[in-house]
Amino acid sequence: MYELSFNGTIFKADIDNARAVLGGICWSQGLHAVKRVLTYAGPPQPHPKGLPRLEHVTQIPPTNNPQQPPRPLPVWGALSKELLRSSYYVRLVYPVSPEKDFGNGLDVDLNAVAGTLQWLDFPDPPKGQPFTQRRKLEIPGQGNLPKVMVDNKYEFEQEFIEETWSFVKDGDFEIVLTRFFTLPQTDAETQTQATRLPPWSELRPLDPAGKWVVSIKSFAWEENNPEEVKKAASQILEERTFFDKLFTFEPVDRRDLDTRVPPPGRTM
């Protein structure tokens, strides 16, 4: 899948107005979601290894049939091929509830709950277009994701909380408002995955000003179909003209969205 997007920011004081306007445009109150996001880094360049070990991959019900041992979905093979040509950061994404999952004092085993593995490619060269275009792959409903990462020598990098409001226009065009939170620092010298989540009140916005990111997105579901990619490009340019009246979109340097793991001693 190709994701085409324009991005900007909204001040915290304007977020309620933005949601109200988008609700009127999309005839929807929007979908609110909070996600726990863990980032893992593949082996340093120039030695990508893909995902050769998938024996611990499981599918969490309802897709899992207890009468049949779960097998990795075919999309795992497609992802492994991408991670063989270059080493990347990948994200493990878990839905959480501010009311139930934060500050409850309970340890969570993320291998036992369903998560989504998400890979985003380095954005394509601009080629004259003003939007950001990059490939995206998601594998939802998977168990044992941290175990699979360890099996394949992927190293934990960081963890944060992502809050979104999502709206859909005309059936397939997406508008997303996003903000990020960091977890309280620990005394450990290296980053480690949290065993339990702190109270929601202890989270701190990643942006000191509390701004939200606004993204408008179109999609080419068949990435090898030039006509579908062209259609998605036409759609986002048309919608950009409409949403320019509401938001200010800012140019994005594709290097700021580089998801490839750099060689030791060099940053990207």
Side-chain angles (χ1 to χ4, degrees):
M1 176 181 72
Y2 265 116
E3 178 185 272
L4 289 66
S5 64
F6 283 105
N7 301 282
T9 55
I10 303 175
F11 285 102
K12 181 179 179 181
D14 298 325
I15 194 67
D16 288 341
N17 287 337
R19 285 175 47 203
V21 171
L22 290 173
I25 293 171
C26 301
W27 294 83
S28 166
Q29 293 182 350
L31 176 64
H32 181 239
V34 177
K35 303 169 185 176
R36 182 178 182 180
V37 181
L38 288 73
T39 302
Y40 280 78
Q45 301 282 35
H47 303 293
K49 298 183 184 302
L51 298 170
R53 294 191 56 187
L54 297 175
E55 64 268 23
H56 288 122
V57 170
T58 63
Q59 298 173 45
I60 301 293
T63 59
N64 188 20
N65 181 351
Q67 302 301 320
Q68 179 180 357
R71 298 178 180 178
L73 299 171
V75 69
W76 278 97
L79 176 59
S80 186
K81 288 181 180 179
E82 296 298 336
L83 301 182
L84 271 172
R85 67 181 175 87
S86 182
S87 193
Y88 285 89
Y89 294 96
V90 297
R91 305 194 333 161
L92 311 185
V93 183
Y94 297 88
V96 289
S97 165
E99 295 78 20
K100 298 179 181 179
D101 296 314
F102 290 85
N104 60 16
L106 300 177
D107 292 346
V108 178
D109 179 6
L110 293 180
N111 285 305
V113 296
T116 296
L117 178 61
Q118 184 182 86
W119 168 75
L120 291 165
D121 202 355
F122 184 45
D124 290 350
K127 297 181 181 179
Q129 78 265 27
F131 48 80
T132 298
Q133 176 177 308
R134 58 179 171 173
R135 297 175 65 202
K136 179 179 182 180
L137 192 153
E138 292 185 332
I139 311 178
Q142 303 298 292
N144 281 340
L145 286 178
K147 183 184 293 291
V148 173
M149 293 294 100
V150 172
D151 287 345
N152 289 281
K153 310 301 183 184
Y154 276 63
E155 295 188 0
F156 175 78
E157 285 282 320
Q158 63 176 335
E159 180 175 6
F160 57 90
I161 302 300
E162 179 182 282
E163 181 181 14
T164 59
W165 283 93
S166 303
F167 299 83
V168 177
K169 181 175 182 286
D170 299 330
D172 60 356
F173 190 80
E174 190 174 23
I175 309 99
V176 184
L177 308 174
T178 308
R179 64 173 173 174
F180 304 94
F181 295 93
T182 59
L183 300 177
Q185 295 294 317
T186 66
D187 295 332
E189 293 183 2
T190 59
Q191 288 275 9
T192 57
Q193 174 191 324
T195 56
R196 61 184 64 178
L197 294 175
W200 180 263
S201 60
E202 293 185 10
L203 300 181
R204 294 293 178 264
L206 186 62
D207 184 287
K211 290 184 290 187
W212 291 63
V213 177
V214 55
S215 304
I216 60 173
K217 303 178 182 183
S218 65
F219 304 93
W221 302 101
E222 298 179 17
E223 60 190 53
N224 295 320
N225 184 336
E227 290 302 315
E228 187 160 346
V229 176
K230 183 178 179 180
K231 179 181 177 182
S234 298
Q235 181 185 33
I236 198 166
L237 289 172
E238 180 179 346
E239 295 289 357
R240 161 73 187 264
T241 300
F242 175 82
F243 283 102
D244 265 339
K245 304 170 186 176
L246 303 176
F247 308 116
T248 300
F249 299 104
E250 303 158 358
V252 176
D253 188 329
R254 63 194 289 259
R255 292 172 297 183
D256 293 337
L257 300 176
D258 195 344
T259 52
R260 299 170 300 181
V261 177
R266 184 166 72 88
T267 58
M268 287 189 172

